[in-house]
């Protein structure tokens, strides 16, 4: 069994990085031209590890070139950003609706008798609350974040 020259492929990795940085086509022949000891392209194509390193660098180079050319890479990033902005708007609207719904529920509880009425209601659902805590769905160590409520004026002039 022959000993491999450059067994860790450190020089090959340096050459591949240089070719990527300088935007020079990555081929086994180009790598062989630049390598100090391995001057035959077949030394790279017949060795699985070296061939895999060259193939990975070629794929990376194609990806970079595709993004630079605008052939889907940059456009898809813009599409993703637009999608994220839409998701943010949808979530903000959902949050606004949830805050309004909670404010309405609090108002309803106040009108139905306040704290004692709420206590009577939750007696029937104590098992549900206990199950939530046993599943660690409600983290007792982390306090609930209170969101600022916007005051909404009702048509009768009262604030909600």
């Amino acid at each position: 069994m022959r000993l491999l020259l450059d067994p860790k492929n450190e020089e090959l990795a340096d050459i591949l990085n240089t070719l990527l940085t300088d935007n020079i086509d990555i081929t086994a022949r180009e790598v062989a031209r630049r390598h100090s000891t391995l001057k035959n392209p077949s030394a790279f194509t017949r060795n699985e590890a070296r061939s895999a390193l060259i193939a990975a660098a070629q794929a990376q180079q194609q990806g970079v070139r595709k993004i630079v050319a605008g052939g889907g890479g940059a456009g898809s990033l813009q599409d993703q950003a637009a999608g994220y902005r839409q998701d943010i708007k949808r979530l903000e609207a959902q949050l606004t609706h949830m805050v309004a719904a909670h404010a309405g529920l609090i108002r309803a509880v106040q009108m139905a008798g306040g704290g004692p009425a709420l206590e009577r209601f939750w007696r029937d659902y104590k098992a549900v609350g206990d199950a939530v805590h046993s599943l660690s769905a409600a983290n007792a160590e982390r306090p609930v974040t209170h969101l600022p409520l916007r005051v909404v004026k009702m048509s009768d002039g009262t604030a909600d």
Side-chain angles (χ1 to χ4, degrees):
M1 184 165 149
R2 293 178 45 188
L3 292 176
L4 291 178
L5 298 173
D6 191 21
K8 294 182 182 178
N9 297 318
E10 293 169 351
E11 186 176 353
L12 173 60
D14 290 340
I15 292 169
L16 293 173
N17 285 333
T18 301
L19 293 174
L20 276 170
T21 304
D22 295 343
N23 195 20
I24 298 170
D25 288 337
I26 297 174
T27 62
R29 185 173 302 235
E30 185 62 35
V31 172
R33 282 186 197 122
R34 294 169 180 260
H35 203 279
S36 65
T37 54
L38 302 172
K39 296 296 184 183
N40 191 347
S42 65
F44 300 98
T45 58
R46 291 183 182 173
N47 182 291
E48 289 182 28
R50 292 177 187 150
S51 181
L53 285 172
I54 290 173
Q58 288 171 333
Q60 185 179 0
Q61 187 175 53
Q62 288 173 354
V64 169
R65 287 178 176 175
K66 188 175 183 180
I67 290 171
V68 169
S76 65
L77 289 176
Q78 291 172 352
D79 293 343
Q80 282 180 345
Y84 291 145
R85 282 191 289 275
Q86 287 177 346
D87 288 346
I88 289 169
K89 285 181 183 178
R90 182 183 50 79
L91 290 170
E92 286 174 343
Q94 184 180 6
L95 178 64
T96 302
H97 292 347
M98 290 172 69
V99 168
H102 281 82
L105 290 171
I106 291 169
R107 177 92 167 144
V109 167
Q110 289 173 340
M111 293 178 80
L118 186 61
E119 233 175 87
R120 286 192 306 274
F121 172 80
W122 278 111
R123 268 190 222 131
D124 297 336
Y125 295 99
K126 183 175 183 339
V128 173
D130 292 343
V132 167
H133 287 292
S134 69
L135 294 172
S136 299
N139 190 348
E141 296 173 6
R142 193 174 346 143
V144 175
T145 303
H146 295 284
L147 300 173
L149 291 176
R150 289 182 274 187
V151 177
V152 178
K153 296 226 178 184
M154 305 298 282
S155 59
D156 62 355
T158 60
D160 189 30

XYZ file of all heavy atoms in Angstrom, residues 75-148:
559
model
N -33.391 36.320 -5.720
C -34.829 36.516 -5.849
C -35.591 35.735 -4.799
O -36.557 36.214 -4.225
N -35.162 34.507 -4.561
C -35.863 33.709 -3.571
C -35.657 34.277 -2.167
O -36.542 34.170 -1.327
C -35.417 32.253 -3.638
O -34.064 32.122 -3.279
N -34.512 34.904 -1.916
C -34.309 35.543 -0.614
C -35.270 36.712 -0.450
O -35.832 36.925 0.623
C -32.858 36.029 -0.472
C -31.802 34.950 -0.319
C -30.410 35.564 -0.294
C -32.038 34.152 0.941
N -35.473 37.465 -1.527
C -36.422 38.572 -1.466
C -37.841 38.046 -1.281
O -38.628 38.624 -0.535
C -36.324 39.425 -2.734
C -35.028 40.206 -2.824
C -34.860 40.900 -4.167
O -35.626 40.681 -5.078
N -33.835 41.741 -4.256
N -38.158 36.947 -1.955
C -39.477 36.343 -1.785
C -39.671 35.847 -0.360
O -40.746 35.999 0.231
C -39.661 35.180 -2.766
C -39.709 35.636 -4.214
O -39.923 36.844 -4.457
O -39.516 34.779 -5.103
N -38.621 35.258 0.202
C -38.708 34.795 1.589
C -38.929 35.969 2.536
O -39.747 35.889 3.451
C -37.428 34.061 1.993
C -37.334 32.659 1.481
C -36.041 31.983 1.926
O -35.096 32.632 2.372
N -35.992 30.667 1.796
N -38.187 37.063 2.316
C -38.342 38.240 3.174
C -39.750 38.787 3.061
O -40.364 39.177 4.075
C -37.313 39.306 2.795
N -40.303 38.838 1.854
C -41.677 39.321 1.673
C -42.661 38.399 2.391
O -43.616 38.867 3.029
C -42.017 39.416 0.192
N -42.416 37.104 2.305
C -43.274 36.149 3.012
C -43.201 36.329 4.519
O -44.222 36.260 5.214
N -41.991 36.585 5.022
C -41.838 36.808 6.460
C -42.555 38.090 6.891
O -43.163 38.135 7.958
C -40.362 36.870 6.846
C -39.640 35.544 6.737
C -38.316 35.491 6.338
C -40.275 34.338 7.035
C -37.649 34.278 6.229
C -39.615 33.139 6.927
C -38.306 33.104 6.529
O -37.653 31.909 6.435
N -42.483 39.127 6.041
C -43.191 40.362 6.375
C -44.692 40.127 6.431
O -45.375 40.644 7.322
C -42.848 41.464 5.370
C -41.485 42.105 5.629
C -41.291 43.355 4.796
N -41.122 43.079 3.380
C -39.970 42.772 2.808
N -38.868 42.726 3.521
N -39.912 42.528 1.507
N -45.218 39.335 5.504
C -46.646 39.014 5.531
C -46.995 38.219 6.786
O -48.037 38.454 7.408
C -47.036 38.230 4.282
C -47.071 39.051 3.026
C -47.400 38.216 1.800
O -47.358 36.975 1.850
N -47.704 38.887 0.701
N -46.141 37.272 7.151
C -46.375 36.500 8.369
C -46.390 37.408 9.595
O -47.217 37.236 10.502
C -45.301 35.423 8.554
C -45.440 34.282 7.571
O -46.507 34.173 6.925
O -44.471 33.500 7.440
N -45.469 38.377 9.637
C -45.410 39.308 10.764
C -46.691 40.125 10.835
O -47.273 40.297 11.914
C -44.164 40.213 10.663
C -42.900 39.394 10.933
C -44.257 41.393 11.619
C -41.615 40.120 10.607
N -47.161 40.626 9.698
C -48.406 41.408 9.686
C -49.581 40.555 10.152
O -50.428 41.011 10.919
C -48.679 41.955 8.284
C -47.794 43.109 7.912
C -48.121 43.624 6.524
C -47.177 44.750 6.137
N -47.439 45.244 4.786
N -49.637 39.291 9.683
C -50.718 38.403 10.081
C -50.670 38.140 11.593
O -51.694 38.179 12.275
C -50.607 37.079 9.320
C -51.725 36.097 9.633
C -51.538 34.773 8.900
N -50.219 34.180 9.046
C -49.817 33.501 10.126
N -50.603 33.362 11.159
N -48.604 32.982 10.172
N -49.461 37.912 12.123
C -49.324 37.655 13.556
C -49.650 38.895 14.387
O -50.248 38.781 15.464
C -47.909 37.155 13.867
C -47.593 35.751 13.351
C -46.109 35.456 13.503
C -48.433 34.714 14.053
N -49.270 40.079 13.891
C -49.621 41.306 14.608
C -51.132 41.490 14.650
O -51.687 41.874 15.680
C -48.937 42.509 13.958
C -47.455 42.592 14.248
C -46.757 43.708 13.481
O -47.332 44.223 12.474
O -45.637 44.065 13.879
N -51.807 41.216 13.527
C -53.269 41.318 13.504
C -53.890 40.295 14.442
O -54.848 40.605 15.172
C -53.785 41.120 12.082
N -53.340 39.081 14.465
C -53.843 38.049 15.364
C -53.655 38.471 16.819
O -54.552 38.284 17.643
C -53.121 36.736 15.087
C -53.634 35.558 15.889
C -52.875 34.279 15.552
O -51.909 34.288 14.805
N -53.324 33.186 16.117
N -52.510 39.062 17.134
C -52.244 39.530 18.489
C -53.227 40.624 18.884
O -53.764 40.619 19.989
C -50.807 40.035 18.599
C -50.403 40.611 19.955
C -50.451 39.531 21.027
C -49.022 41.223 19.876
N -53.494 41.543 17.961
C -54.456 42.608 18.242
C -55.833 42.024 18.539
O -56.500 42.449 19.482
C -54.530 43.573 17.035
O -53.225 44.093 16.797
C -55.496 44.703 17.290
N -56.247 41.025 17.753
C -57.548 40.390 17.988
C -57.575 39.664 19.335
O -58.582 39.707 20.052
C -57.884 39.419 16.865
C -58.157 40.058 15.544
N -58.377 41.402 15.374
C -58.264 39.535 14.304
C -58.599 41.686 14.114
N -58.511 40.564 13.429
N -56.477 39.011 19.670
C -56.422 38.287 20.940
C -56.492 39.251 22.128
O -57.187 38.982 23.112
C -55.156 37.436 21.010
C -55.179 36.254 20.054
S -53.608 35.384 19.957
C -53.522 34.630 21.559
N -55.776 40.364 22.027
C -55.803 41.354 23.103
C -57.214 41.915 23.240
O -57.745 42.050 24.358
C -54.769 42.477 22.839
C -54.984 43.646 23.778
C -53.359 41.924 22.994
N -57.854 42.214 22.120
C -59.223 42.734 22.161
C -60.180 41.703 22.750
O -61.061 42.046 23.549
C -59.669 43.143 20.756
N -60.000 40.438 22.376
C -60.865 39.389 22.913
C -60.677 39.242 24.416
O -61.652 39.105 25.165
C -60.563 38.065 22.204
N -59.434 39.291 24.871
C -59.194 39.187 26.312
C -59.776 40.383 27.057
O -60.337 40.239 28.144
C -57.693 39.033 26.590
C -57.203 37.653 26.361
N -56.872 37.190 25.123
C -57.008 36.619 27.223
C -56.489 35.930 25.216
N -56.558 35.564 26.472
N -59.626 41.564 26.478
C -60.208 42.743 27.114
C -61.724 42.606 27.189
O -62.341 42.957 28.201
C -59.821 44.003 26.340
N -62.326 42.078 26.135
C -63.772 41.852 26.145
C -64.178 40.830 27.185
O -65.206 40.987 27.864
N -63.397 39.790 27.344
C -63.705 38.780 28.353
C -63.588 39.358 29.762
O -64.425 39.067 30.635
C -62.777 37.575 28.195
C -63.002 36.715 26.960
C -61.888 35.687 26.821
C -64.360 36.034 27.018
N -62.580 40.162 29.980
C -62.419 40.786 31.294
C -63.604 41.697 31.577
O -64.159 41.715 32.685
C -61.078 41.545 31.373
C -59.920 40.539 31.377
C -61.022 42.451 32.603
C -58.556 41.155 31.197
N -64.012 42.443 30.563
C -65.179 43.335 30.704
C -66.429 42.524 31.015
O -67.226 42.903 31.870
C -65.349 44.130 29.410
C -66.532 45.023 29.390
C -66.154 46.376 29.880
N -67.231 47.303 29.577
C -67.570 48.272 30.358
N -66.878 48.486 31.458
N -68.543 49.073 30.050
N -66.597 41.387 30.337
C -67.767 40.542 30.574
C -67.764 39.997 32.000
O -68.810 39.930 32.655
C -67.803 39.407 29.561
N -66.584 39.615 32.486
C -66.487 39.111 33.858
C -66.832 40.214 34.842
O -67.546 39.986 35.835
C -65.070 38.543 34.131
C -64.840 38.300 35.607
C -64.864 37.261 33.349
N -66.367 41.419 34.582
C -66.686 42.537 35.467
C -68.197 42.782 35.510
O -68.769 43.026 36.560
C -65.969 43.810 35.003
C -64.483 43.784 35.233
C -63.777 44.988 34.607
O -64.314 45.633 33.717
N -62.569 45.255 35.077
N -68.826 42.680 34.351
C -70.268 42.934 34.292
C -71.063 41.791 34.904
O -72.188 41.994 35.370
C -70.695 43.167 32.843
C -70.113 44.456 32.275
S -70.562 44.708 30.584
C -72.216 45.346 30.788
N -70.503 40.571 34.920
C -71.220 39.414 35.452
C -71.015 39.230 36.942
O -71.531 38.280 37.513
C -70.784 38.170 34.716
N -70.255 40.081 37.567
C -70.098 39.939 39.004
C -68.657 39.972 39.463
O -68.382 39.755 40.644
N -67.724 40.184 38.575
C -66.333 40.355 38.953
C -65.644 39.078 39.367
O -65.923 37.991 38.876
N -64.723 39.227 40.336
C -63.879 38.133 40.804
C -64.636 36.929 41.330
O -64.303 35.795 40.999
N -65.664 37.139 42.166
C -66.394 35.975 42.683
C -67.047 35.144 41.569
O -67.048 33.911 41.629
C -67.452 36.585 43.599
C -66.867 37.894 44.021
C -66.073 38.364 42.843
N -67.572 35.795 40.547
C -68.182 35.054 39.437
C -67.114 34.267 38.685
O -67.335 33.121 38.279
C -68.894 36.013 38.491
N -65.961 34.857 38.517
C -64.867 34.170 37.833
C -64.396 32.971 38.649
O -64.123 31.902 38.107
C -63.708 35.138 37.588
C -62.546 34.621 36.760
C -63.023 34.234 35.366
C -61.456 35.660 36.663
N -64.347 33.130 39.963
C -63.959 32.031 40.831
C -64.943 30.874 40.724
O -64.540 29.713 40.638
C -63.909 32.525 42.291
C -62.617 32.227 42.988
C -62.596 32.842 44.367
O -63.087 32.171 45.299
O -62.115 33.970 44.499
N -66.223 31.187 40.711
C -67.242 30.132 40.567
C -67.084 29.416 39.226
O -67.212 28.203 39.143
C -68.648 30.729 40.662
C -69.050 31.115 42.069
C -70.537 31.436 42.161
N -70.991 32.456 41.208
C -70.940 33.774 41.422
N -70.481 34.233 42.574
N -71.378 34.619 40.518
N -66.778 30.165 38.174
C -66.607 29.584 36.852
C -65.411 28.639 36.833
O -65.506 27.518 36.334
C -66.408 30.706 35.822
C -66.035 30.210 34.458
C -67.007 29.711 33.592
C -64.719 30.236 34.015
C -66.673 29.254 32.334
C -64.369 29.779 32.752
C -65.355 29.284 31.911
N -64.289 29.047 37.393
C -63.073 28.250 37.311
C -63.070 27.035 38.232
O -62.274 26.130 38.063
C -61.836 29.104 37.568
C -61.424 29.841 36.332
C -61.492 31.169 36.110
C -60.922 29.269 35.127
N -61.073 31.470 34.850
C -60.708 30.316 34.212
C -60.648 27.964 34.711
C -60.231 30.115 32.931
C -60.159 27.766 33.442
C -59.961 28.832 32.560
N -63.994 26.993 39.217
C -64.072 25.803 40.057
C -64.353 24.567 39.214
O -63.818 23.499 39.461
C -65.181 25.979 41.093
C -64.695 26.552 42.364
C -65.761 26.488 43.453
N -65.710 27.760 44.146
C -66.723 28.539 44.426
N -67.942 28.155 44.126
N -66.553 29.667 45.037
N -65.205 24.745 38.180
C -65.552 23.607 37.321
C -64.389 23.197 36.421
O -64.352 22.074 35.923
C -66.762 23.958 36.439
C -68.009 24.230 37.270
O -68.090 23.720 38.414
O -68.888 24.960 36.782
N -63.441 24.098 36.201
C -62.344 23.830 35.277
C -60.992 23.719 35.971
O -59.955 23.837 35.336
C -62.287 24.928 34.200
C -63.508 24.911 33.332
C -64.547 25.796 33.562
C -63.635 23.996 32.304
C -65.687 25.767 32.769
C -64.759 23.957 31.508
C -65.788 24.853 31.755
O -66.906 24.817 30.977
N -61.011 23.458 37.275
C -59.767 23.332 38.020
C -58.914 22.196 37.471
O -57.691 22.319 37.378
C -60.057 23.114 39.505
C -58.789 23.051 40.355
C -59.141 22.961 41.812
C -57.964 22.955 42.747
N -56.690 22.590 42.283
N -59.526 21.098 37.066
C -58.790 19.956 36.525
C -58.036 20.355 35.262
O -56.907 19.912 35.029
C -59.741 18.802 36.227
N -58.639 21.222 34.455
C -57.969 21.677 33.227
C -56.729 22.488 33.590
O -55.653 22.301 33.026
C -58.937 22.505 32.351
C -58.206 23.116 31.175
C -60.092 21.640 31.886
N -56.862 23.403 34.529
C -55.726 24.210 34.960
C -54.612 23.363 35.540
O -53.433 23.596 35.274
N -54.989 22.359 36.339
C -53.983 21.465 36.912
C -53.263 20.674 35.821
O -52.049 20.464 35.890
C -54.629 20.503 37.911
C -55.138 21.217 39.159
O -54.705 22.376 39.396
O -55.964 20.627 39.879
N -54.005 20.240 34.796
C -53.397 19.490 33.697
C -52.407 20.369 32.930
O -51.335 19.911 32.530
C -54.473 18.965 32.749
N -52.741 21.630 32.749
C -51.843 22.559 32.054
C -50.548 22.697 32.836
O -49.461 22.663 32.268
C -52.528 23.932 31.846
C -51.523 24.985 31.417
C -53.640 23.810 30.825
N -50.643 22.844 34.136
C -49.434 22.975 34.964
C -48.633 21.676 34.998
O -47.405 21.713 34.993
C -49.798 23.422 36.378
C -50.213 24.858 36.450
N -49.345 25.898 36.231
C -51.419 25.418 36.676
C -49.979 27.041 36.334
N -51.254 26.783 36.603
N -49.306 20.516 35.007
C -48.574 19.250 35.059
C -47.829 18.983 33.759
O -46.819 18.290 33.737
C -49.527 18.090 35.358
O -50.381 17.869 34.254
N -48.310 19.529 32.646
C -47.635 19.365 31.354
C -46.551 20.414 31.136
O -45.921 20.451 30.092
C -48.657 19.452 30.214
C -49.688 18.338 30.154
C -50.741 18.658 29.105
C -49.021 17.019 29.847
N -46.356 21.274 32.113
C -45.400 22.385 32.031
C -45.728 23.323 30.876
O -44.864 23.956 30.307
C -43.965 21.887 31.889
O -43.613 21.120 33.012
N -46.995 23.376 30.493
C -47.411 24.288 29.431
C -47.418 25.719 29.944
O -47.213 26.659 29.195
C -48.792 23.901 28.914
N -47.654 25.878 31.231
C -47.597 27.204 31.844
C -46.364 27.212 32.740
O -46.310 26.513 33.740
C -48.855 27.469 32.649
N -45.378 27.977 32.405
C -44.128 28.004 33.132
C -44.272 28.945 34.325
O -44.405 30.150 34.166
C -42.998 28.467 32.207
C -41.638 28.277 32.836
O -41.532 28.010 34.029
N -40.614 28.409 32.038
N -44.239 28.394 35.529
C -44.410 29.196 36.733
C -43.188 30.071 37.003
O -43.291 31.100 37.656
C -44.679 28.288 37.934
N -42.015 29.663 36.521
C -40.794 30.435 36.768
C -40.730 31.689 35.913
O -40.101 32.659 36.273
C -39.570 29.564 36.482
C -39.456 28.377 37.398
C -38.327 27.447 36.980
O -37.578 27.786 36.046
O -38.207 26.383 37.585
N -41.363 31.634 34.752
C -41.323 32.770 33.836
C -42.658 33.503 33.933
O -43.694 32.949 33.586
C -41.102 32.271 32.418
C -40.754 33.369 31.471
C -40.394 32.878 30.089
N -40.135 31.457 30.002
C -40.489 30.713 28.966
N -41.086 31.230 27.947
N -40.223 29.433 28.935
N -42.648 34.735 34.407
C -43.915 35.441 34.548
C -44.528 35.756 33.190
O -43.841 35.836 32.181
C -43.526 36.736 35.269
C -42.079 36.911 34.975
C -41.514 35.537 34.796
N -45.826 35.918 33.196
C -46.547 36.248 31.973
C -46.189 37.667 31.570
O -46.166 38.581 32.381
C -48.074 36.129 32.211
C -48.843 36.576 30.987
C -48.423 34.709 32.588
N -45.891 37.846 30.310
C -45.574 39.171 29.797
C -46.876 39.912 29.554
O -47.766 39.409 28.879
C -44.785 39.071 28.484
O -43.630 38.300 28.728
C -44.418 40.441 27.959
N -46.988 41.081 30.121
C -48.196 41.877 29.926
C -47.992 42.789 28.741
O -47.013 43.522 28.666
C -48.504 42.687 31.188
C -48.839 41.804 32.358
N -50.048 41.187 32.491
C -48.089 41.399 33.411
C -50.053 40.459 33.595
N -48.866 40.564 34.165
N -48.914 42.721 27.831
C -48.845 43.553 26.645
C -49.609 44.847 26.911
O -50.657 44.828 27.559
C -49.458 42.827 25.453
C -48.775 41.525 25.089
C -49.568 40.803 24.017
C -47.377 41.796 24.601
N -49.118 45.966 26.396
C -49.835 47.213 26.607
C -51.166 47.190 25.858
O -51.240 46.789 24.709
C -48.890 48.263 26.029
C -48.036 47.521 25.070
C -47.931 46.134 25.594
